[in-house]
Amino acid sequence: AQSVTQPDIHITVSEGASLELRCNYSYGATPYLFWYVQSPGQGLQLLLKYFSGDTLVQGIKGFEAEFKRSQSSFNLRKPSVHWSDAAEYFCAVGAQANFGNEKLTFGTGTRLTIIP
Amino acid sequence: DVKVTQSSRYLVKRTGEKVFLECVQDMDHENMFWYRQDPGLGLRLIYFSYDVKMKEKGDIPEGYSVSREKKERFSLILESASTNQTSMYLCASSINREGGELFFGEGSRLTVL
């Protein structure tokens, strides 16, 4: 069975500072990995995904993530955050046996607060 | 743009009532999903459907059923609502069974008294 751990429940970052959100997964084969963002009162929106190939993945809104198999990690990064990045961020893992995106397992989320 | 619409943003029901949550997508997607979101637990899959009249259980199907009579519509049914089903319910869709993006609705917050 697959699992995801987001160790940070809440992170506060100054506007303009860099950001890294941690995600660790457990899965026996090559995983399908996703980062989603949820703004207050909204549904989730895909930031980026990794299926195979280049382990550094670029997403929308200036985000990137790096798949590190040896560390079972898929951390999300942004070089300079904006106040509009305040939201909740979810990492998710899927299995090829489930067509990648069926039966996704989501982490518990990291809430990002931006201070001026 | 893909639009996933959940008909009710907020519902208040009483214990034992039958509850219907409706979801419609407008992009001819094959797959549709129902998730439940609770603080500290993230999102958990209740059911999904990969075709009309087809459904598969997710991680927490107990107490729920689903219906997909038309491709664009996926309904979540609580036959007899209980207080532990108070939660945010999120519907999502994806193009097909090739691992693509899930598009989410804005959610339905259900309170069971």
Side-chain angles (χ1 to χ4, degrees), chain B residues 17-57:
Chain B
E17 280 193 79
K18 189 169 186 176
V19 181
F20 292 87
L21 299 180
E22 305 285 342
C23 175
V24 176
Q25 50 93 3
D26 66 356
M27 286 299 291
D28 201 36
H29 283 180
E30 301 286 338
N31 289 13
M32 296 188 74
F33 305 81
W34 276 107
Y35 282 88
R36 171 175 172 162
Q37 182 178 16
D38 298 290
L41 295 177
L43 281 73
R44 293 176 291 166
L45 180 64
I46 305 172
Y47 269 97
F48 73 95
S49 168
Y50 54 88
D51 200 351
V52 174
K53 297 190 186 293
M54 305 302 289
K55 61 186 180 184
E56 284 199 26
K57 293 180 180 179

Side-chain angles (χ1 to χ4, degrees), chain A residues 36 38 41 43 51 99 101-102 108, chain B residues 9 31 37 97 99-100 102 105:
Chain A
Y36 282 86
Q38 185 179 34
F51 292 170
F99 299 93
N101 69 349
E102 295 175 3
T108 52
Chain B
R9 291 296 303 274
N31 289 13
Q37 182 178 16
R97 309 191 85 175
L102 266 62

Side-chain angles (χ1 to χ4, degrees), chain A residues 30-33 49-57 67 69:
Chain A
T30 299
Y32 285 58
L33 294 162
K49 62 187 178 190
Y50 171 80
F51 292 170
S52 64
D54 193 346
T55 57
L56 184 62
V57 180
F67 170 58
R69 184 187 300 276

